[in-house]
Amino acid sequence: MTAFATIILHAAVCYLHVIFAWRFYPRRHEDYSVFAFWMMMSLWALMHGLYAIELFLEMTGTITAFYYALTVTSYFILPFVTALMIPIFIGELTVSPPTPHALARLLLAISRNSHALFYLALALCGVNIGWSLLHLFPLEDWYGQRADIKALYGVYALFSLWFVMLISGIRPDERWREMGKPLRILLVALVGMWLIRGSSDSNRFWSIEPVLSTVSFSFIFSWYRFRLQFIDMILNQCVNILLLVLAVTGLGQLLAHQAFIEMEDSSQYLLLFAYCLAAVAAYRLVNHWFSRIWTPSSTVLAEVHGALPAILADCESEQTAIRETEDYIASVFRCKVGINRSLGTSTANSIRLTDAPAIEVNLGYIRDWMPWLSRANEWAQTAALYLQNHLHMQASHASLIKTEELSTLAARAELDAMRAQIRPHFMFNTLNSIHSFVREEPELAEKTIERLSELMRAVLSAPDEDTVPLHQELNVVRNYLAIEKARFGDRLHYEISIDPGDEQQSIPPFSLQPLVENTIKHGLEGQFSPLSVTVEAETKDSSFTVRVIDNGPGLSGSNHGMGMAVTNIRERLDRLYADSAQLKLT
């Protein structure tokens, strides 16, 4: 039963290292330490898988050429893992002492060329493989071999070299600090295991030692390198492995029990079924309560997707959103939270989101003692992403409102400028009309000045609005036409034909008088016959049309250019109504 449990243990540890290798595969190019760790996980997964198969073949007595092929393959894995340790284990010590002596300079030259030492170790591995293959026969000598003892001696040599470098004043580089600590702890553990091995059965030792060393190294490396963010995965898998071994052991004890053997077949099947149900229930219950040590329940965590966005939707300011998110994370994980502010010495974990707006979430210990592991860290990062997205939408909305306000102000300024252009332009042209007859016909001039005063009063008192009623604009047009009639006499005839219901329609101010002015100017200059001008309006369906009609020569030749006034009217219509209004000259 012990042998069978050992086989299950190696298979489970193989599965654990496969998970590690899979998790670290996308990150293997970050730096050499991560690449080396990924390679170690891959090689150790292969090694434990081979050990499990070898132990199973030994237990069943199936000692064939296939068994020896697996044994030889597993025998050469540890030397390659040892070679992988060299660039980090020796290469981490690169900081020179203030006054290096001759030995320190020599050791620094070795550490700064640690990759050359790595390639030398690989070459020695190749020589070792060739030497071992030359002495492959008889195959029986390979029975029960679990590892190359020369690989262990190589690890001790690395440890001795590292210790000499350390006492000579050479210190670790910060880049390799996370990898160096677990390696040093592993070396101390290997020395202890070597001492234990001297008083125990060799084959049994090499069946258990790889489990202890590889699992402990994986745990320690994750502790230092990733700040505990993968420890929960290791712990969960270790618990799963332990539960699996216990379930298999219990099943073996049940099958071997005399009372079970004496049962009838139907009773045996019923008992096995009950045992399987109990094992599955215990497995799920232990996993559930074990994971609850460092994370809330799945139901509570899933509420992050609904509760936090609903809370943020009611936050109008950035500070309110940050404060509400802090309170929410603190209530879920029972910890202190500071977003974009420091927690002092109580910070256990920091989450940084560099995209705009930048978010830094500083987290205290869960329940004031538990460090942050991967699952809890991922959910806290999810909450931070919701906050960042909310702040980004707030900033975008504020920017959009500001842009619209600036556009409105710019359009208002343009309209004010256009009205300011029209008023003096109209006044100067009117004064020029009066000037032609003020000396020759004083009475007519007096009446014209009266009309001009009314016209000026309408112009100067006009409100600064975008639109005015049509009847207000018609008053200006009537006064202007009366002045021009006094000036040109029988050469000008005009008529204003507007239905009273249309006089309440809105049009831009000083948009009709300039058209009448242009009609008179270009119509009288282009012909000798009298000019007739008609102003009319029409409402049809959902459109409103105002027309200024004359019997002049039309738009040809020099009369085609209608000057500043027409351009001004077109631009105002465009800004006020866009495509729903237009000015046509036909």
Side-chain angles (χ1 to χ4, degrees):
M1 183 54 62
T2 302
F4 188 66
T6 305
I7 294 172
I8 297 299
L9 185 63
H10 278 287
V13 173
C14 171
Y15 166 71
L16 173 64
H17 286 96
V18 167
I19 292 178
F20 265 106
W22 175 74
R23 287 290 296 267
F24 280 90
Y25 178 77
R27 307 180 62 172
R28 66 192 186 282
H29 296 306
E30 286 184 5
D31 55 49
Y32 182 81
S33 63
V34 179
F35 176 78
F37 183 73
W38 171 70
M39 284 292 298
M40 290 177 186
M41 295 301 103
S42 302
L43 291 173
W44 281 340
L46 176 62
M47 181 183 72
H48 284 289
L50 294 176
Y51 282 176
I53 298 174
E54 291 170 30
L55 289 170
F56 177 76
L57 294 177
E58 289 177 10
M59 185 181 70
T60 58
T62 312
I63 309 301
T64 62
F66 176 69
Y67 165 81
Y68 290 113
L70 296 180
T71 302
V72 171
T73 303
S74 64
Y75 185 82
F76 295 120
I77 291 179
L78 278 181
F80 283 102
V81 175
T82 305
L84 281 171
M85 295 180 179
I86 292 176
I88 5 183
F89 197 58
I90 301 302
E92 67 165 335
L93 297 170
T94 57
V95 180
S96 173
T99 55
H101 46 78
L103 178 60
R105 288 195 294 270
L106 175 62
L107 295 174
L108 279 171
I110 294 175
S111 68
R112 290 169 181 170
N113 294 278
S114 58
H115 284 78
L117 192 62
F118 166 67
Y119 293 123
L120 176 61
L122 286 181
L124 292 176
C125 288
V127 173
N128 178 59
I129 291 174
W131 177 261
S132 299
L133 291 177
L134 288 176
H135 299 81
L136 182 64
F137 298 100
L139 290 175
E140 289 74 13
D141 291 344
W142 290 83
Y143 179 82
Q145 294 289 340
R146 293 290 177 265
D148 187 354
I149 193 64
K150 293 186 286 296
L152 189 61
Y153 292 150
V155 173
Y156 295 150
L158 286 178
F159 179 78
S160 301
L161 179 59
W162 173 86
F163 185 73
V164 172
M165 294 173 69
L166 194 66
I167 62 175
S168 67
I170 304 174
R171 292 294 178 262
D173 188 343
E174 288 294 332
R175 294 178 302 167
W176 310 118
R177 186 176 299 276
E178 291 84 0
M179 192 69 165
K181 290 179 181 178
L183 282 173
R184 290 192 287 273
I185 295 173
L186 177 62
L187 285 174
V188 174
L190 287 175
V191 172
M193 291 176 187
W194 176 254
L195 296 176
I196 296 173
R197 178 181 181 274
S199 59
S200 63
D201 179 70
S202 177
N203 287 340
R204 182 177 298 175
F205 172 79
W206 283 116
S207 296
I208 303 300
E209 184 274 340
V211 173
L212 300 177
S213 60
T214 58
V215 172
S216 61
F217 174 80
S218 303
F219 185 90
I220 296 168
F221 176 82
S222 298
W223 181 290
Y224 284 107
R225 181 64 174 82
F226 296 103
R227 300 294 187 269
L228 299 171
Q229 293 179 16
F230 290 90
I231 298 301
D232 54 342
M233 184 185 76
I234 302 175
L235 294 174
N236 285 331
Q237 296 302 327
C238 290
V239 169
N240 292 339
I241 291 169
L242 179 62
L243 291 174
L244 179 63
V245 172
L246 291 176
V248 172
T249 304
L251 180 62
Q253 294 292 337
L254 176 64
L255 295 176
H257 200 277
Q258 186 64 31
F260 179 83
I261 296 174
E262 294 175 356
M263 287 183 179
E264 297 180 357
D265 290 346
S266 58
S267 300
Q268 288 180 343
Y269 293 148
L270 183 60
L271 184 59
L272 285 175
F273 179 72
Y275 176 85
C276 292
L277 286 180
V280 171
Y283 176 85
R284 292 181 60 85
L285 186 64
V286 171
N287 268 286
H288 172 73
W289 286 107
F290 190 72
S291 62
R292 286 290 301 276
I293 295 175
W294 50 75
T295 53
S297 66
S298 300
T299 304
V300 173
L301 292 176
E303 290 178 356
V304 172
H305 295 304
L308 184 57
I311 293 173
L312 292 174
D314 296 330
C315 299
E316 297 182 357
S317 66
E318 177 181 340
Q319 292 303 319
T320 303
I322 290 176
R323 185 174 64 253
E324 291 291 339
T325 305
E326 286 179 347
D327 294 342
Y328 183 80
I329 296 176
S331 66
V332 171
F333 294 101
R334 301 178 187 176
C335 66
K336 296 179 181 178
V337 183
I339 298 178
N340 293 341
R341 63 183 179 89
S342 174
L343 288 179
T345 57
S346 62
T347 301
N349 186 30
S350 292
I351 299 172
R352 293 178 179 86
L353 305 179
T354 56
D355 294 339
I359 298 291
E360 181 177 1
V361 183
N362 295 310
L363 303 164
Y365 289 92
I366 300 175
R367 301 188 186 94
D368 294 328
W369 68 271
M370 173 62 65
W372 284 79
L373 306 182
S374 61
R375 189 160 184 256
N377 188 73
E378 289 169 358
W379 281 101
Q381 185 172 10
T382 299
L385 287 170
Y386 276 121
L387 172 62
Q388 185 185 54
N389 184 59
H390 175 77
L391 295 181
H392 177 72
M393 289 191 298
Q394 271 192 336
S396 300
H397 183 64
S399 176
L400 179 61
I401 291 176
K402 185 176 181 180
T403 301
E404 291 178 350
E405 289 177 348
L406 290 175
S407 299
T408 302
L409 290 174
R412 174 71 61 186
E414 288 187 50
L415 290 171
D416 291 344
M418 291 174 186
R419 285 197 292 265
Q421 287 178 345
I422 279 291
R423 290 173 181 176
H425 177 77
F426 161 72
M427 293 300 297
F428 292 145
N429 288 337
T430 304
L431 289 174
N432 286 333
S433 299
I434 296 174
H435 181 266
S436 63
F437 58 84
V438 69
R439 291 183 180 178
E440 299 176 358
E441 300 182 64
E443 294 180 0
L444 183 57
E446 183 179 353
K447 292 181 181 180
T448 305
I449 290 172
E450 291 177 358
R451 292 186 178 276
L452 178 60
S453 65
E454 295 179 8
L455 190 59
M456 290 179 65
R457 187 179 299 110
V459 171
L460 295 176
S461 63
D464 290 334
E465 296 178 355
D466 294 334
T467 60
V468 296
L470 177 58
H471 67 81
Q472 184 175 321
E473 183 74 6
L474 289 176
N475 289 336
V476 176
V477 172
R478 288 190 179 95
N479 286 323
Y480 176 76
L481 285 172
I483 293 172
E484 292 298 273
K485 175 64 176 177
R487 178 184 175 187
F488 293 105
D490 294 336
R491 293 190 59 196
L492 175 63
H493 302 283
Y494 68 88
E495 179 185 2
I496 298 178
S497 176
I498 305 292
D499 188 85
D502 291 332
E503 291 188 359
Q504 299 302 319
Q505 296 281 4
S506 298
I507 65 171
F510 295 97
S511 59
L512 189 55
Q513 183 275 333
L515 297 178
V516 175
E517 180 181 344
N518 273 288
T519 297
I520 295 173
K521 178 182 176 182
H522 295 291
L524 290 175
E525 288 179 356
Q527 67 182 18
F528 293 103
S529 58
L531 178 68
S532 296
V533 178
T534 302
V535 179
E536 62 181 24
E538 178 187 18
T539 300
K540 186 177 181 180
D541 297 330
S542 60
S543 64
F544 175 63
T545 305
V546 180
R547 299 186 184 90
V548 179
I549 305 169
D550 69 271
N551 62 345
L555 297 173
S556 61
S558 63
N559 290 340
H560 187 68
M562 300 300 286
M564 179 193 67
V566 172
T567 301
N568 184 290
I569 295 170
R570 276 207 173 103
E571 291 181 356
R572 283 196 290 160
L573 288 173
D574 180 64
R575 281 160 176 75
L576 288 171
Y577 304 106
D579 295 334
S580 60
Q582 58 181 329
L583 172 65
K584 291 184 179 180
L585 300 179
T586 60

